[in-house]
Amino acid sequence: QVQLVEFGGGSVQAGGSLRLSCAVSGYTYSRFCMGWIRQAPGKERERVGSIDTDGATDYADSVKGRFTISKENAENTATLYLEMNNLKPEDTAMYYCAADMTRRYFCNPLLRDNYWGQGTQVTVSS
């Protein structure tokens, strides 16, 4: 069974940085899409960005140039990272990592095919 567990959320002042990690396990085929989504109170889930099986990344315009997604793959486990710099109060949300075992490219972490973690809270104060 595929499992995703996030680490690294917390509180930071505007302009600060945080690094989120996500441990992915339980899969048998190691080439798949991964990504991050977030959800602020009272708002819909929003795509943050994704990374395909070859390591190519794609970001939402709201985080482009500030956030960086990377990954480390092993045979049966993977770790997904989200490096967040120059954080803004509007980045405050619950952040979820996502893994889509049905796709290697053209990733979209919002799609129902994804597995998601339980989330980690990021709070940015002004």
Side-chain angles (χ1 to χ4, degrees):
Q1 183 179 355
V2 177
Q3 291 186 318
L4 293 84
V5 180
E6 299 96 342
F7 302 93
S11 298
V12 65
Q13 288 193 325
S17 299
L18 280 175
R19 188 191 199 201
L20 306 184
S21 302
C22 173
V24 186
S25 62
Y27 56 85
T28 55
Y29 183 60
S30 61
R31 293 173 62 81
F32 53 88
C33 283
M34 290 190 282
W36 294 91
I37 63 173
R38 66 186 182 184
Q39 187 169 23
K43 295 189 177 181
E44 293 188 353
R45 285 189 168 189
E46 174 189 23
R47 180 184 70 93
V48 175
S50 60
I51 185 166
D52 71 18
T53 193
D54 290 341
T57 53
D58 183 59
Y59 300 95
D61 288 343
S62 58
V63 306
K64 201 171 292 184
R66 300 188 297 120
F67 289 13
T68 303
I69 295 173
S70 60
K71 65 174 180 174
E72 294 176 350
N73 273 104
E75 178 130 354
N76 298 114
T77 62
T79 305
L80 180 68
Y81 301 99
L82 179 64
E83 185 77 37
M84 303 183 290
N85 297 312
N86 190 21
L87 281 160
K88 304 175 181 181
E90 51 264 42
D91 294 318
T92 295
M94 187 72 79
Y95 283 72
Y96 302 86
C97 60
D100 185 349
M101 303 300 166
T102 69
R103 290 176 177 80
R104 295 182 291 169
Y105 306 102
F106 305 106
C107 307
N108 185 343
L110 288 171
L111 295 177
R112 292 172 59 185
D113 292 325
N114 283 275
Y115 293 91
W116 295 290
Q118 292 301 304
T120 186
Q121 178 68 36
V122 171
T123 302
V124 184
S125 58
S126 57

